[in-house]
Amino acid sequence: MIPVRKTHILASSALATIIMLAVGNPASAETTGDAAPSSAYGCKSLEEIAELQMIEGKDGMFFRILADLRLQHAFTDQTVDHLAAMAKALEKNGTTLIYVPLPTKSQVLPELVPARASLYGFEAGIATEIYDDVVRRLNEKGVAAVDIATPMRENNRNGFGEYSFFQADFHWTAHGADIAARAIGDRIKGLPAYGDVTPVRFDMKEVPPPEEFSSMRELLQKHCISHVPTVTAHTYEAVRAEDASAEAGSMDIFGSGDEATVALIGTSYSDKPISNFSGYLEHWTGIPVENYSISGGNQFGSILSYITSREFQERRPRFLIWENPIYNNLGQYGGAPWAEIVAASLGECSAPVPAKGKSENAIEADFSTTKLSHDDVILADIGSDVSRKATFTLTGADGTVRTRSIERGDRLRSTGRYFFSLGGFPDGSFDKVEVTFDAPVSETTTLSICKTKTGEQS
């Protein structure tokens, strides 16, 4: 029997559903497709907005057609393997990776998705199974992946009537962040790495909600007559119990010593004060959280900014929580980001190789007698955080020149450290490497060779 991958079955099922809707029930398709959808807010042509196509669901819940309703999410076996390699590299140095695939609004609130969404191929059962399949495959490869979709779906509204997601925005509310953080906390507390953690109590205190700008709501409102739901909700902050005691005049004078920490890596979902995901993580894990999330950093901005930093190398957290929307494609840029991530996670780098200044902004090293493999990376460290770009020029014995660049965008944190993968370069294809930065080099600028394989893989 020829084995058939489950992901292929899911894709086929989705396709079959679309065909049945379009062909098997023409009357239904014609009615839903030709008739202008009614709107509780007098909204028109939402599905034709060039910047962001949307669809209005029940109870004032709006969905993005591409991100929220699609059933295809590029989470390949290669991506799973990359995350498994990252988890293993981190674990070798005492950090446990917790990967959190963030579900879409439709996966959490399928009952609010309009029937018209079927014309775009949406089917709630398949959407749920696709999410579950990602979590399952990651856990089977040794990655501690947390299913937050199920608890968010089962408890998708709080006592104030607020859903897990804002109605006119795609981000989660404090309620959604709370439910997700609790599931993550439960998973972390069941891991061996939590065994010697001394929990710290964090209480949640209600605070006035901050002003929240939503580009989605602003765009939506331009196409609606009535005011669409505002992006606001009950908001809370995490207060460490001993800090509250100190304010009351009572404080434990004995420090807790070298306590465990959590590093939160993520997108705007983790960066929104109105949702305060990091605060809820502190509350449910009992561990202080340092938030390194970046709004607008896409799938790799936050992780590359943090994991290539000196701060990470010098003070590694006990847990690294990486939140990423399930629709983010972690294979979009090939293997280069993963080579950086795994090499930095492992941190096994040689002493600086002999190098000389080539110009004000460049250094050069001779690698003709150095044995390298395609699994190695070259770490170019300018020695400070001033640089955002490094260009690598590799020259072979036959005069062949190859040039590659690594650049950190404006939203990313500049660390001045670049892990350049040698994958794809034939053995012995270069003798010299010149690295040109976008800032002056100094005596602290170095080149090193780093590994991407743990001992048992080498």
Side-chain angles (χ1 to χ4, degrees), residues 83-84 87 91 96-101 135 138-147 184 187-188 191 319-322:
L83 277 163
E91 197 69 49
T96 299
L97 173 66
I98 309 294
Y99 189 77
V100 183
V135 174
L138 285 169
N139 280 291
E140 287 173 353
K141 283 288 185 143
V143 180
V146 184
D147 170 15
I184 295 165
R187 180 64 187 276
I188 286 178
L191 295 173
F319 298 97
L320 191 155
I321 298 174
W322 187 4

Side-chain angles (χ1 to χ4, degrees), residues 164-453:
S164 298
F165 288 88
F166 292 108
Q167 294 161 290
D169 188 79
F170 57 88
H171 292 98
W172 54 15
T173 60
H175 175 64
D178 179 20
I179 299 302
R182 183 171 187 171
I184 295 165
D186 289 345
R187 180 64 187 276
I188 286 178
K189 289 177 180 178
L191 295 173
Y194 195 84
D196 61 349
V197 170
T198 302
V200 178
R201 199 180 93 211
F202 287 89
D203 299 322
M204 301 308 293
K205 174 185 175 183
E206 186 170 0
V207 295
E211 290 187 15
E212 184 66 25
F213 172 77
S214 167
S215 57
M216 175 175 164
R217 183 184 183 277
E218 183 181 63
L219 182 61
L220 186 61
Q221 190 62 72
K222 294 177 181 178
H223 295 263
C224 302
I225 297 173
S226 303
H227 287 290
V228 297
T230 56
V231 181
T232 188
H234 286 77
T235 306
Y236 301 83
E237 67 177 5
V239 179
R240 187 165 174 153
E242 64 187 45
D243 295 338
S245 298
E247 291 178 6
S250 172
M251 181 176 176
D252 182 3
I253 62 173
F254 299 102
S256 58
D258 188 18
E259 65 183 4
T261 58
V262 168
L264 173 60
I265 308 302
T267 61
S268 55
Y269 289 89
S270 297
D271 195 35
K272 291 279 186 183
I274 195 170
S275 308
N276 194 16
F277 181 45
S278 60
Y280 281 111
L281 285 172
E282 290 181 321
H283 176 66
W284 290 114
T285 64
I287 306 176
V289 173
E290 297 178 16
N291 194 350
Y292 299 95
S293 302
I294 296 177
S295 294
N298 295 321
Q299 62 268 65
F300 290 115
S302 178
I303 187 65
L304 286 174
S305 294
Y306 174 63
I307 214 158
T308 64
S309 69
R310 292 170 184 79
E311 180 181 0
F312 168 75
Q313 295 297 333
E314 295 168 0
R315 190 168 61 89
R316 294 183 176 226
R318 179 71 57 87
F319 298 97
L320 191 155
I321 298 174
W322 187 4
E323 163 269 308
N324 227 331
I326 194 170
Y327 51 76
N328 272 351
N329 183 0
L330 294 175
Q332 183 175 355
Y333 303 106
W338 289 109
E340 285 207 87
I341 290 169
V342 174
S345 297
L346 192 57
E348 292 186 0
C349 299
S350 69
V353 300
K356 61 181 180 179
K358 187 71 174 177
S359 66
E360 181 184 8
N361 288 14
I363 59 172
E364 183 183 71
D366 186 344
F367 286 90
S368 59
T369 59
T370 304
K371 185 177 180 180
L372 299 170
S373 79
H374 65 275
D375 292 324
D376 294 334
V377 302
I378 297 175
L379 168 58
D381 185 348
I382 198 172
S384 67
D385 296 341
V386 299
S387 171
R388 288 189 172 275
K389 184 178 180 180
T391 300
F392 294 75
T393 302
L394 286 68
T395 304
D398 59 355
T400 302
V401 177
R402 300 175 174 87
T403 302
R404 302 285 189 277
S405 295
I406 299 177
E407 187 170 1
R408 312 291 189 215
D410 291 339
R411 289 182 183 267
L412 275 65
R413 177 180 174 185
S414 60
T415 65
R417 291 160 55 86
Y418 308 88
F419 293 80
F420 178 74
S421 172
L422 297 182
F425 291 94
D427 292 346
S429 61
F430 62 89
D431 287 341
K432 291 189 295 186
V433 175
E434 178 182 328
V435 182
T436 304
F437 299 93
D438 57 343
V441 299
S442 68
E443 64 275 3
T444 60
T445 302
T446 59
L447 298 180
S448 305
I449 305 300
C450 304
K451 302 297 181 182
T452 59
K453 300 291 185 182

Side-chain angles (χ1 to χ4, degrees), residues 59-124:
D59 201 17
M61 188 66 66
F62 293 85
F63 298 86
R64 298 169 296 172
I65 290 175
L66 180 59
D68 291 327
L69 299 181
R70 75 180 184 212
L71 297 180
Q72 290 183 324
H73 300 291
F75 215 101
T76 65
D77 288 344
Q78 187 177 35
T79 293
V80 172
D81 289 339
H82 284 316
L83 277 163
M86 175 189 178
K88 185 174 289 187
L90 287 169
E91 197 69 49
K92 191 171 183 181
N93 291 284
T95 295
T96 299
L97 173 66
I98 309 294
Y99 189 77
V100 183
L102 195 143
T104 64
K105 289 173 84 171
S106 64
Q107 289 170 330
V108 172
L109 300 164
E111 70 277 12
L112 300 183
V113 176
R116 185 176 176 79
S118 64
L119 296 180
Y120 294 98
F122 179 77
E123 203 283 319

